Every structure is written in C-alpha cells, then in structure tokens.
Amino acid sequence: MVLTEQYEVTIVDSDERYICDSTQNLLKGMVQLGRKGIPVGCRGGGCGVCKVQVLSGTYTSKRMSREHVSVEDEAEGRVLACRTWPTSSIELQVVGQLQRAVTR
Amino acid sequence: MSMTGVLRPGHVQLRVLDIEEAVVHYRDYMGLIETHRDDQGRIYLKGWDEQDWFSVVLREADDAGMDHMAFKVLDEETLWRLQSDLKKFGCDVERIPEGELDHCGERVRFVAPTGHVFELYANKDHHGNGIPTTNPAPWPEGLKGMQAVRFDHCLVYGEDLDASVKLFTEVLGFQLTEQIVDGDLQLAAFLTCSMKAHDVAFIRQEGPGKLHHASFLLKTWEEVLRAADIISMKDIPIDIGPTRHGLTRGQTIYFFDPSGNRNEVFAEDSHVYPDTPVLTWTADNIGQAIFYHSRELNERFMGVTTGA
Ligand code: FES
Ligand SMILES: [Fe+2]
C-alpha cells in the first residue's frame, strides 16, 4: 500500500500556495488546482521551462534533461518541477521561463 | 517514375530519459509497431503502413531531443551524388557505416546551418506492412492506440533559417510549399521532397537548433479526435488541439512524450505538384496561420522545445 501524504507548496515569487499530493509532481499538483506561477511546458523533464529553485523542504526527483539541469544545479536544489515529488512542505522560487520564438 | 533524389523522411532518432516509459508511449499509445532492439539498447519502431524496418529509433540519454532525422534517397548513386553536392555547398559530411543502425545501410550525415543533424541513406531492410501484396486488405488487424500510419515530418527551430532552406532546396531538391514572412524576412519555411505539404519545416529562432515536434500521420479527423481521447485516458501531457492549422490545412493535435519531446498526429493536409504556387502567410496574421480556429498564438506551443 502506498501512503499518500499532502504537503504545502509555496511559490515565493507570487506567494501562491497549494497542497501537493506526494504522488504528484510539483507541476501537476499546481496545474490540477488551477494555480499558476511555474511555467508549464512539456511536463516530461525535457524542455526546462518549469525549472525552480527549492529554498526549503525535501523531495525526490526523476531523471531531468542535463541540457537544463546541471549536476551542480541538482546539488543546489535547482530542479524541474515536473520531475520532482515533495516529501515535505516546500518553498520554491521560479527560475525557468518560456522562450519567445518567431522574433526578428 | 517521376520521384527521384530524396524520396521521403525515413526515420528520426529521438533521445528519451527513460526508454521503457518511452516505448510504452510510442508503441502502446501512439500505435507504432516495435520491430527491433539493438545491442546498444535502442528501440526501433515503425508506423503500420511503412514498408521499411523502422522509422523511429529511441535512445536513452541524459537529455531529451532529436539525435538526427534521416531521409531515404532513391539509390546509392543518388546518395553519393548528394554527398558530393553537400560537400560543394560547404557542409561537413560524415559517412556512418552500414549496421551502425541495424537493418540500415550506409548513411551520409551532415549538420544543417540551423544546427540540426540530418542524414541520407539509400538502403533499409524491407519489413512489410502486415498486409499481403497480392489481394491486400485495407489495413492489418491488431493495431494499438492511435494507430499512427507513418512517421511524416519534423519541425525544427534554428537561427540560420535562410541557409538551411537554401541547402534543402538547392542541394537536396526540396520545394518550398508554404511560408510565414515578416516583410522580406522569412520566419517559417515548409519544405517537401514529395507531394506532401511538408517533409521538414524550419522556424526561425535565435540560439542553438531545437526540435519542435516529430509528426505522425493518421487517416481522418475522427482518428484525431480518438487520439485526443487516448491522450486523456492515458494521462499524456497535451499541448494543443484538436484543431486545424492554416499552414498545410492539417487537422491536428499536439502532445508530449514522457521525456518532453513534442509529438503531433494529424490528418488531411494539402498536396502540391512542382508547379503549385508557394502559399504565404504574413506575420501580422501568424495566429491564423498556425491555429486556424482560435487565431491566437499560444506561448507554450511557440516557446517549448527539446534539444537537437
Ligand atoms: S515542463 Fe518541460 S521540463 Fe518541466
Ligand atoms: Fe507538424
């Protein structure tokens, strides 16, 4: 049996708070509750737009594209929200952003 | 025979973060058929109506994106002629030996000015489409998921659009079918080596080359809706659609594989002949060019890519 815990996630940039289930990654938890703040891209760890700096709290992560998360990033808590599952309450800051295409 | 030179997109090799998750997506959800695993652990798949051994290769890696897109050319003579034309154009050309990919002959690899690795090859083992060639049935039984018919095209982003378009049209014989322009500046170029609306497309974006999407053909609009149902049932991250493109007229839906590479499935786009005029969309109308119904650019669709 898998125990499901619920943790509070705080996006400090916008002071947005939401409850994220331990079985859901940080990005999905946010989207499901209609909350905003972390940019939503591929949801698979490939595009890098959901990159966050975790300021406090613990979590587990799945493999993330090295193109966007270096070994150093990972060690310092800069991770992709769509590949990160909370194991405690979390405070985070948004690092990633959507690129602009079709520009001159 | 009127088709010579480059025949069609032959395959795309994609990097994925978890190969077993990826193969479930491409095989069970998109309905490609797994045809091989090689001793490097790469997994080969094909659309059901493709005759050659594979059209998608999945490679587990540390980042997502496109390793290369390969085109099949008519024969070996064509391959060596195009190799020398590519060199004359100024491309660094590398020969990849037969068997580097199982079931595939020797390949000619070059890097396009937009930074994407493309390859040409003349030979790939025949697999068949599961239907006899005498008194053939219209479709094979036992297909899964979205039942993708074939790998159709890739759309890529890169900075030196002009030079990549020049290479594909002047060296490889592709035809410009549709474009988006801002005055004199071309922002997007859709190119075909056949009669399709596109076999490869480029969008101008600063920075290193990127993969926007790898696309697969379905037969009907109803199948596009059914793909949307599967996307929800299997909790696949959706991007946008079902909708229609102005460009190419395709009826389409976009979603992401489990490593964040964008996929498209689509039906019913336009066809061209060598004498069909180029269709032009203007930058002030770009919303309609891309999404014919909403007429609005979508930040995620435009801005999210994986590596090349
Ligand atoms: S949304 Fe693309 S890496 Fe998280
Ligand atoms: Fe497409």
Side-chain angles (χ1 to χ4, degrees), chain B residues 155-205:
Chain B
L155 189 156
V156 297
Y157 278 17
E159 198 159 305
D160 197 352
L161 181 79
D162 303 329
S164 275
V165 170
K166 193 172 155 71
L167 183 156
F168 272 82
T169 53
E170 293 179 12
V171 181
L172 300 178
F174 281 58
Q175 176 182 352
L176 179 69
T177 59
E178 300 201 34
Q179 59 181 347
I180 306 175
V181 298
D182 185 359
D184 290 338
L185 188 74
Q186 193 176 45
L187 299 181
F190 287 62
L191 304 169
T192 187
C193 59
S194 61
M195 294 181 65
K196 289 158 57 191
H198 52 336
D199 288 303
V200 65
F202 291 91
I203 285 188
R204 186 186 298 274
Q205 189 194 41

CSV table of all heavy atoms in Angstrom, one decimal, chain B residues 155-205:
chain,number,residue,atom,x,y,z
B,155,LEU,N,9.4,19.3,-37.4
B,155,LEU,CA,9.5,20.8,-37.4
B,155,LEU,C,10.6,21.1,-36.5
B,155,LEU,O,10.6,20.7,-35.3
B,155,LEU,CB,8.2,21.5,-37.1
B,155,LEU,CG,8.2,23.0,-37.3
B,155,LEU,CD1,6.7,23.4,-37.5
B,155,LEU,CD2,8.8,23.8,-36.2
B,156,VAL,N,11.6,21.9,-36.9
B,156,VAL,CA,12.7,22.3,-36.1
B,156,VAL,C,12.9,23.8,-36.1
B,156,VAL,O,12.5,24.5,-37.0
B,156,VAL,CB,14.0,21.6,-36.6
B,156,VAL,CG1,13.9,20.1,-36.5
B,156,VAL,CG2,14.4,22.0,-38.0
B,157,TYR,N,13.5,24.3,-35.0
B,157,TYR,CA,13.8,25.7,-34.8
B,157,TYR,C,15.3,25.9,-35.0
B,157,TYR,O,16.1,25.2,-34.5
B,157,TYR,CB,13.5,26.1,-33.4
B,157,TYR,CG,12.0,26.4,-33.1
B,157,TYR,CD1,11.0,26.0,-33.9
B,157,TYR,CD2,11.7,27.1,-31.9
B,157,TYR,CE1,9.7,26.3,-33.6
B,157,TYR,CE2,10.4,27.4,-31.6
B,157,TYR,CZ,9.4,27.0,-32.4
B,157,TYR,OH,8.1,27.3,-32.1
B,158,GLY,N,15.6,27.0,-35.6
B,158,GLY,CA,17.1,27.4,-35.7
B,158,GLY,C,17.3,28.8,-36.2
B,158,GLY,O,16.3,29.5,-36.6
B,159,GLU,N,18.5,29.3,-36.0
B,159,GLU,CA,18.8,30.7,-36.3
B,159,GLU,C,19.0,30.9,-37.8
B,159,GLU,O,18.4,31.9,-38.3
B,159,GLU,CB,20.0,31.0,-35.5
B,159,GLU,CG,20.2,32.5,-35.3
B,159,GLU,CD,21.1,32.8,-34.2
B,159,GLU,OE1,20.9,32.4,-33.0
B,159,GLU,OE2,22.1,33.5,-34.4
B,160,ASP,N,19.8,30.2,-38.4
B,160,ASP,CA,20.2,30.5,-39.8
B,160,ASP,C,19.2,29.8,-40.8
B,160,ASP,O,19.5,28.9,-41.5
B,160,ASP,CB,21.6,30.1,-40.1
B,160,ASP,CG,22.1,30.7,-41.4
B,160,ASP,OD1,21.3,31.4,-42.1
B,160,ASP,OD2,23.3,30.6,-41.7
B,161,LEU,N,17.9,30.2,-40.7
B,161,LEU,CA,16.9,29.7,-41.5
B,161,LEU,C,17.2,29.7,-43.0
B,161,LEU,O,17.0,28.8,-43.7
B,161,LEU,CB,15.6,30.4,-41.2
B,161,LEU,CG,14.3,29.9,-42.0
B,161,LEU,CD1,13.8,28.7,-41.3
B,161,LEU,CD2,13.3,31.0,-42.0
B,162,ASP,N,17.7,30.9,-43.4
B,162,ASP,CA,17.9,31.1,-44.8
B,162,ASP,C,18.9,30.1,-45.4
B,162,ASP,O,18.7,29.5,-46.5
B,162,ASP,CB,18.5,32.5,-45.1
B,162,ASP,CG,17.6,33.6,-44.5
B,162,ASP,OD1,16.4,33.4,-44.5
B,162,ASP,OD2,18.1,34.7,-44.1
B,163,ALA,N,20.0,29.8,-44.7
B,163,ALA,CA,21.0,28.9,-45.2
B,163,ALA,C,20.4,27.4,-45.2
B,163,ALA,O,20.7,26.6,-46.1
B,163,ALA,CB,22.3,29.0,-44.4
B,164,SER,N,19.7,27.0,-44.2
B,164,SER,CA,19.1,25.7,-44.2
B,164,SER,C,18.1,25.5,-45.3
B,164,SER,O,18.0,24.5,-46.0
B,164,SER,CB,18.4,25.4,-42.8
B,164,SER,OG,19.4,24.9,-41.9
B,165,VAL,N,17.3,26.6,-45.6
B,165,VAL,CA,16.3,26.5,-46.7
B,165,VAL,C,17.0,26.4,-48.0
B,165,VAL,O,16.7,25.6,-48.9
B,165,VAL,CB,15.4,27.7,-46.6
B,165,VAL,CG1,14.5,27.8,-47.9
B,165,VAL,CG2,14.5,27.7,-45.4
B,166,LYS,N,18.1,27.2,-48.1
B,166,LYS,CA,18.9,27.1,-49.4
B,166,LYS,C,19.5,25.7,-49.6
B,166,LYS,O,19.4,25.2,-50.7
B,166,LYS,CB,20.1,28.1,-49.2
B,166,LYS,CG,20.8,28.5,-50.5
B,166,LYS,CD,21.8,29.6,-50.3
B,166,LYS,CE,23.0,29.7,-51.2
B,166,LYS,NZ,22.7,30.0,-52.6
B,167,LEU,N,20.0,25.1,-48.5
B,167,LEU,CA,20.6,23.8,-48.6
B,167,LEU,C,19.5,22.8,-49.1
B,167,LEU,O,19.7,22.0,-50.0
B,167,LEU,CB,21.2,23.4,-47.3
B,167,LEU,CG,21.9,22.0,-47.2
B,167,LEU,CD1,22.9,22.1,-46.0
B,167,LEU,CD2,21.0,20.9,-47.0
B,168,PHE,N,18.4,22.8,-48.4
B,168,PHE,CA,17.3,21.8,-48.7
B,168,PHE,C,16.8,22.0,-50.1
B,168,PHE,O,16.5,21.0,-50.8
B,168,PHE,CB,16.2,21.8,-47.6
B,168,PHE,CG,16.6,20.9,-46.5
B,168,PHE,CD1,17.4,21.3,-45.5
B,168,PHE,CD2,16.1,19.6,-46.5
B,168,PHE,CE1,17.7,20.4,-44.5
B,168,PHE,CE2,16.4,18.7,-45.5
B,168,PHE,CZ,17.2,19.1,-44.5
B,169,THR,N,16.6,23.3,-50.5
B,169,THR,CA,16.0,23.5,-51.9
B,169,THR,C,17.0,23.3,-53.0
B,169,THR,O,16.8,22.6,-54.0
B,169,THR,CB,15.3,24.9,-52.0
B,169,THR,OG1,16.3,25.9,-51.6
B,169,THR,CG2,14.1,25.0,-51.0
B,170,GLU,N,18.2,23.9,-52.8
B,170,GLU,CA,19.2,23.9,-53.9
B,170,GLU,C,20.0,22.7,-54.0
B,170,GLU,O,20.4,22.2,-55.1
B,170,GLU,CB,20.1,25.2,-53.8
B,170,GLU,CG,19.3,26.4,-54.0
B,170,GLU,CD,20.1,27.7,-54.0
B,170,GLU,OE1,21.4,27.6,-53.9
B,170,GLU,OE2,19.5,28.8,-53.9
B,171,VAL,N,20.3,22.1,-52.8
B,171,VAL,CA,21.2,20.9,-52.9
B,171,VAL,C,20.3,19.6,-52.9
B,171,VAL,O,20.6,18.7,-53.7
B,171,VAL,CB,22.2,20.8,-51.7
B,171,VAL,CG1,23.1,19.6,-51.7
B,171,VAL,CG2,23.0,22.1,-51.7
B,172,LEU,N,19.3,19.5,-52.0
B,172,LEU,CA,18.6,18.3,-51.9
B,172,LEU,C,17.3,18.3,-52.7
B,172,LEU,O,16.6,17.3,-52.7
B,172,LEU,CB,18.3,18.1,-50.4
B,172,LEU,CG,19.5,18.0,-49.5
B,172,LEU,CD1,19.1,17.8,-48.0
B,172,LEU,CD2,20.4,16.8,-49.9
B,173,GLY,N,17.0,19.4,-53.4
B,173,GLY,CA,15.9,19.4,-54.3
B,173,GLY,C,14.5,19.5,-53.7
B,173,GLY,O,13.5,19.2,-54.3
B,174,PHE,N,14.4,20.0,-52.5
B,174,PHE,CA,13.1,20.2,-51.8
B,174,PHE,C,12.4,21.4,-52.5
B,174,PHE,O,13.1,22.3,-53.0
B,174,PHE,CB,13.3,20.4,-50.3
B,174,PHE,CG,13.5,19.1,-49.5
B,174,PHE,CD1,14.6,18.3,-49.8
B,174,PHE,CD2,12.7,18.8,-48.5
B,174,PHE,CE1,14.8,17.1,-49.1
B,174,PHE,CE2,12.9,17.6,-47.8
B,174,PHE,CZ,13.9,16.8,-48.1
B,175,GLN,N,11.1,21.4,-52.3
B,175,GLN,CA,10.3,22.5,-52.8
B,175,GLN,C,9.7,23.3,-51.6
B,175,GLN,O,9.2,22.6,-50.7
B,175,GLN,CB,9.2,21.9,-53.7
B,175,GLN,CG,8.2,22.8,-54.2
B,175,GLN,CD,7.1,22.1,-55.0
B,175,GLN,OE1,7.2,20.9,-55.3
B,175,GLN,NE2,6.0,22.8,-55.4
B,176,LEU,N,9.7,24.6,-51.7
B,176,LEU,CA,9.1,25.4,-50.7
B,176,LEU,C,7.6,25.4,-50.9
B,176,LEU,O,7.1,25.7,-52.0
B,176,LEU,CB,9.6,26.8,-50.7
B,176,LEU,CG,8.9,27.8,-49.7
B,176,LEU,CD1,9.4,27.5,-48.3
B,176,LEU,CD2,9.3,29.3,-50.1
B,177,THR,N,6.8,24.9,-49.9
B,177,THR,CA,5.3,24.8,-50.1
B,177,THR,C,4.6,26.0,-49.5
B,177,THR,O,3.7,26.6,-50.1
B,177,THR,CB,4.8,23.5,-49.6
B,177,THR,OG1,5.1,23.5,-48.2
B,177,THR,CG2,5.3,22.3,-50.3
B,178,GLU,N,5.0,26.3,-48.3
B,178,GLU,CA,4.3,27.4,-47.6
B,178,GLU,C,5.4,28.1,-46.7
B,178,GLU,O,6.4,27.6,-46.3
B,178,GLU,CB,3.2,26.9,-46.7
B,178,GLU,CG,2.1,26.2,-47.4
B,178,GLU,CD,0.8,26.1,-46.7
B,178,GLU,OE1,0.4,27.0,-46.0
B,178,GLU,OE2,0.1,25.0,-46.9
B,179,GLN,N,5.1,29.4,-46.4
B,179,GLN,CA,6.0,30.2,-45.6
B,179,GLN,C,5.2,31.2,-44.8
B,179,GLN,O,4.1,31.6,-45.1
B,179,GLN,CB,7.0,30.9,-46.5
B,179,GLN,CG,6.4,31.8,-47.5
B,179,GLN,CD,7.4,32.5,-48.4
B,179,GLN,OE1,8.6,32.4,-48.1
B,179,GLN,NE2,7.0,33.1,-49.5
B,180,ILE,N,5.9,31.7,-43.7
B,180,ILE,CA,5.4,32.8,-43.0
B,180,ILE,C,6.5,33.9,-43.2
B,180,ILE,O,7.7,33.6,-43.0
B,180,ILE,CB,5.3,32.6,-41.4
B,180,ILE,CG1,4.4,31.4,-41.2
B,180,ILE,CG2,4.7,33.8,-40.7
B,180,ILE,CD1,4.3,31.0,-39.7
B,181,VAL,N,6.1,35.1,-43.6
B,181,VAL,CA,7.1,36.2,-43.8
B,181,VAL,C,6.7,37.4,-43.0
B,181,VAL,O,5.5,37.7,-42.7
B,181,VAL,CB,7.2,36.5,-45.3
B,181,VAL,CG1,7.7,35.3,-46.1
B,181,VAL,CG2,5.9,37.1,-45.8
B,182,ASP,N,7.8,38.1,-42.6
B,182,ASP,CA,7.6,39.4,-42.0
B,182,ASP,C,8.4,40.4,-42.9
B,182,ASP,O,9.6,40.5,-42.8
B,182,ASP,CB,8.2,39.4,-40.6
B,182,ASP,CG,7.9,40.7,-39.8
B,182,ASP,OD1,7.3,41.6,-40.5
B,182,ASP,OD2,8.3,40.9,-38.7
B,183,GLY,N,7.6,41.0,-43.8
B,183,GLY,CA,8.3,41.8,-44.9
B,183,GLY,C,9.2,40.9,-45.7
B,183,GLY,O,8.7,39.9,-46.2
B,184,ASP,N,10.5,41.2,-45.7
B,184,ASP,CA,11.4,40.4,-46.5
B,184,ASP,C,12.0,39.2,-45.7
B,184,ASP,O,12.7,38.3,-46.3
B,184,ASP,CB,12.6,41.2,-46.9
B,184,ASP,CG,12.3,42.2,-48.0
B,184,ASP,OD1,11.2,42.0,-48.6
B,184,ASP,OD2,13.0,43.3,-48.1
B,185,LEU,N,11.7,39.2,-44.4
B,185,LEU,CA,12.3,38.1,-43.6
B,185,LEU,C,11.4,36.9,-43.5
B,185,LEU,O,10.2,37.0,-43.2
B,185,LEU,CB,12.5,38.7,-42.2
B,185,LEU,CG,13.3,37.8,-41.2
B,185,LEU,CD1,14.8,37.8,-41.6
B,185,LEU,CD2,13.1,38.3,-39.8
B,186,GLN,N,11.9,35.8,-43.9
B,186,GLN,CA,11.2,34.5,-43.8
B,186,GLN,C,11.3,34.0,-42.3
B,186,GLN,O,12.3,33.8,-41.8
B,186,GLN,CB,11.8,33.5,-44.7
B,186,GLN,CG,11.0,32.3,-45.0
B,186,GLN,CD,11.6,31.4,-46.0
B,186,GLN,OE1,12.8,31.1,-46.0
B,186,GLN,NE2,10.8,30.9,-47.0
B,187,LEU,N,10.1,33.8,-41.7
B,187,LEU,CA,10.1,33.3,-40.3
B,187,LEU,C,9.9,31.8,-40.3
B,187,LEU,O,10.3,31.2,-39.3
B,187,LEU,CB,8.9,34.0,-39.6
B,187,LEU,CG,9.0,35.5,-39.4
B,187,LEU,CD1,7.8,36.0,-38.6
B,187,LEU,CD2,10.3,36.0,-38.8
B,188,ALA,N,9.2,31.3,-41.3
B,188,ALA,CA,9.0,29.8,-41.3
B,188,ALA,C,9.0,29.3,-42.7
B,188,ALA,O,8.5,30.0,-43.6
B,188,ALA,CB,7.6,29.5,-40.6
B,189,ALA,N,9.5,28.1,-42.9
B,189,ALA,CA,9.6,27.6,-44.3
B,189,ALA,C,9.2,26.1,-44.2
B,189,ALA,O,9.7,25.3,-43.4
B,189,ALA,CB,11.0,27.7,-44.8
B,190,PHE,N,8.2,25.7,-45.0
B,190,PHE,CA,7.7,24.3,-45.0
B,190,PHE,C,8.2,23.8,-46.4
B,190,PHE,O,7.9,24.3,-47.4
B,190,PHE,CB,6.1,24.3,-44.9
B,190,PHE,CG,5.7,24.6,-43.5
B,190,PHE,CD1,5.9,25.8,-42.9
B,190,PHE,CD2,5.0,23.6,-42.8
B,190,PHE,CE1,5.5,26.0,-41.6
B,190,PHE,CE2,4.5,23.9,-41.5
B,190,PHE,CZ,4.8,25.1,-40.9
B,191,LEU,N,8.9,22.7,-46.3
B,191,LEU,CA,9.6,22.1,-47.4
B,191,LEU,C,9.2,20.7,-47.7
B,191,LEU,O,9.0,19.9,-46.8
B,191,LEU,CB,11.1,22.2,-47.2
B,191,LEU,CG,11.7,23.6,-46.8
B,191,LEU,CD1,13.1,23.4,-46.4
B,191,LEU,CD2,11.6,24.5,-48.0
B,192,THR,N,9.1,20.3,-49.0
B,192,THR,CA,8.7,18.9,-49.3
B,192,THR,C,9.7,18.4,-50.3
B,192,THR,O,10.2,19.1,-51.2
B,192,THR,CB,7.3,18.8,-49.8
B,192,THR,OG1,7.0,17.4,-49.9
B,192,THR,CG2,7.1,19.5,-51.1
B,193,CYS,N,9.9,17.1,-50.3
B,193,CYS,CA,10.7,16.4,-51.3
B,193,CYS,C,9.7,15.5,-52.1
B,193,CYS,O,10.1,14.7,-53.0
B,193,CYS,CB,11.8,15.5,-50.7
B,193,CYS,SG,11.2,14.3,-49.5
B,194,SER,N,8.4,15.7,-51.8
B,194,SER,CA,7.4,14.8,-52.5
B,194,SER,C,6.2,15.6,-52.9
B,194,SER,O,6.4,16.7,-53.4
B,194,SER,CB,7.0,13.7,-51.5
B,194,SER,OG,6.4,14.3,-50.3
B,195,MET,N,5.0,15.1,-52.7
B,195,MET,CA,3.8,15.9,-52.9
B,195,MET,C,3.1,16.3,-51.6
B,195,MET,O,2.0,16.8,-51.7
B,195,MET,CB,2.8,15.1,-53.8
B,195,MET,CG,3.4,14.8,-55.2
B,195,MET,SD,2.1,13.8,-56.1
B,195,MET,CE,0.8,15.0,-56.3
B,196,LYS,N,3.8,16.1,-50.5
B,196,LYS,CA,3.2,16.4,-49.2
B,196,LYS,C,3.3,17.9,-48.9
B,196,LYS,O,4.2,18.6,-49.4
B,196,LYS,CB,3.9,15.6,-48.2
B,196,LYS,CG,3.5,14.1,-48.2
B,196,LYS,CD,4.6,13.2,-47.5
B,196,LYS,CE,4.7,13.7,-46.1
B,196,LYS,NZ,5.9,13.0,-45.5
B,197,ALA,N,2.5,18.4,-48.0
B,197,ALA,CA,2.5,19.8,-47.6
B,197,ALA,C,3.9,20.1,-46.9
B,197,ALA,O,4.4,21.2,-47.0
B,197,ALA,CB,1.4,20.1,-46.6
B,198,HIS,N,4.5,19.1,-46.3
B,198,HIS,CA,5.9,19.3,-45.8
B,198,HIS,C,6.4,17.9,-45.4
B,198,HIS,O,5.7,17.0,-45.0
B,198,HIS,CB,6.0,20.2,-44.6
B,198,HIS,CG,5.1,20.0,-43.5
B,198,HIS,ND1,3.9,19.3,-43.5
B,198,HIS,CD2,5.2,20.3,-42.2
B,198,HIS,CE1,3.3,19.3,-42.4
B,198,HIS,NE2,4.1,19.9,-41.5
B,199,ASP,N,7.7,17.8,-45.7
B,199,ASP,CA,8.5,16.6,-45.2
B,199,ASP,C,9.4,17.1,-44.1
B,199,ASP,O,9.9,16.3,-43.2
B,199,ASP,CB,9.3,16.0,-46.3
B,199,ASP,CG,8.4,15.3,-47.3
B,199,ASP,OD1,7.7,14.4,-46.8
B,199,ASP,OD2,8.3,15.6,-48.5
B,200,VAL,N,9.8,18.4,-44.1
B,200,VAL,CA,10.5,19.0,-43.0
B,200,VAL,C,10.1,20.5,-43.0
B,200,VAL,O,9.8,21.0,-44.0
B,200,VAL,CB,12.0,18.8,-43.1
B,200,VAL,CG1,12.6,19.5,-44.3
B,200,VAL,CG2,12.8,19.2,-41.9
B,201,ALA,N,10.1,21.1,-41.8
B,201,ALA,CA,9.8,22.5,-41.7
B,201,ALA,C,10.8,23.2,-40.7
B,201,ALA,O,11.2,22.6,-39.8
B,201,ALA,CB,8.4,22.7,-41.3
B,202,PHE,N,11.1,24.4,-41.0
B,202,PHE,CA,12.0,25.2,-40.2
B,202,PHE,C,11.3,26.5,-39.7
B,202,PHE,O,10.6,27.1,-40.5
B,202,PHE,CB,13.2,25.6,-41.0
B,202,PHE,CG,14.1,24.5,-41.4
B,202,PHE,CD1,13.9,23.8,-42.6
B,202,PHE,CD2,15.2,24.1,-40.6
B,202,PHE,CE1,14.8,22.8,-43.0
B,202,PHE,CE2,16.0,23.0,-40.9
B,202,PHE,CZ,15.8,22.4,-42.1
B,203,ILE,N,11.6,26.8,-38.4
B,203,ILE,CA,11.1,28.1,-37.9
B,203,ILE,C,12.3,28.9,-37.4
B,203,ILE,O,13.2,28.2,-36.8
B,203,ILE,CB,10.0,27.9,-36.8
B,203,ILE,CG1,8.7,27.5,-37.5
B,203,ILE,CG2,9.8,29.2,-36.0
B,203,ILE,CD1,7.5,27.5,-36.6
B,204,ARG,N,12.3,30.2,-37.7
B,204,ARG,CA,13.5,31.0,-37.3
B,204,ARG,C,13.4,31.3,-35.8
B,204,ARG,O,12.4,31.8,-35.3
B,204,ARG,CB,13.5,32.3,-38.0
B,204,ARG,CG,14.7,33.2,-37.8
B,204,ARG,CD,14.5,34.5,-38.5
B,204,ARG,NE,14.4,34.4,-40.0
B,204,ARG,CZ,15.4,34.4,-40.8
B,204,ARG,NH1,16.6,34.5,-40.3
B,204,ARG,NH2,15.2,34.3,-42.1
B,205,GLN,N,14.4,30.9,-35.1
B,205,GLN,CA,14.5,31.3,-33.6
B,205,GLN,C,16.0,31.4,-33.3
B,205,GLN,O,16.8,30.6,-33.7
B,205,GLN,CB,13.9,30.2,-32.7
B,205,GLN,CG,13.8,30.7,-31.3
B,205,GLN,CD,13.5,29.6,-30.3
B,205,GLN,OE1,14.1,28.5,-30.4
B,205,GLN,NE2,12.7,29.8,-29.3
